[in-house]
Amino acid sequence: MRNPLLPDDVYAAIDKAVAKYPVGQQRSATKAALMLVQRFNKGYLTTPLMDAVAEYLLLPPIAVYEVASFYTLFESEPVGVYKISLCTNVSCYLRGCEDIKDYLFKRLQIKFGETTEDKRFTLKEVECLAACTQAPAMQINGDYHENLTLESIEKILAELE
Ligand code: FES
């Protein structure tokens, strides 16, 4: 059943995701549905929104909460306009992500898990982004930025300000 919290275009996109799986396997579209709902809700999920997804996919709410809490790409609190997800896993570590982390902390005046006062940037520490051959890597709102250097980071941030 559709919930008035979500507009028709979000439901249409969820239907498309569900259609990729065999009939009765709509559970497989849970992650895609949550991504669509999170995008609609300016970057984070709420319990009523997750419940709406569960109701629509005919799942117990816990099945949706489990997916939302497992993946670091999902947020349960409001985030800044730009969510920076910096990988600190082994390849990125060996290629200097610590320097990039220190630079971002200083440049944005926040630490991992925090949002700047002006609500423009949220900084997250994430595990491998599957971009190890281009380490160090980060995502901003899901877009990849690879082979990072302090110079390239500064250029990227300057373009977002
Ligand atoms: S370790 Fe950073 S992208 Fe894989």
Side-chain angles (χ1 to χ4, degrees), residues 3 22 24-25 44 52 64 67 70 76 83 119 124 155 161:
N3 186 305
Q25 297 299 313
Y44 72 106
V64 174
V67 174
F70 178 79
S76 59
K83 183 172 80 173
K119 311 283 184 224
K124 282 193 79 170
K155 193 164 174 250
E161 287 174 333

Side-chain angles (χ1 to χ4, degrees), residues 87 89-92 128-132 137:
C87 173
N89 214 309
V90 65
S91 296
C92 290
C128 184
L129 290 167
C132 312

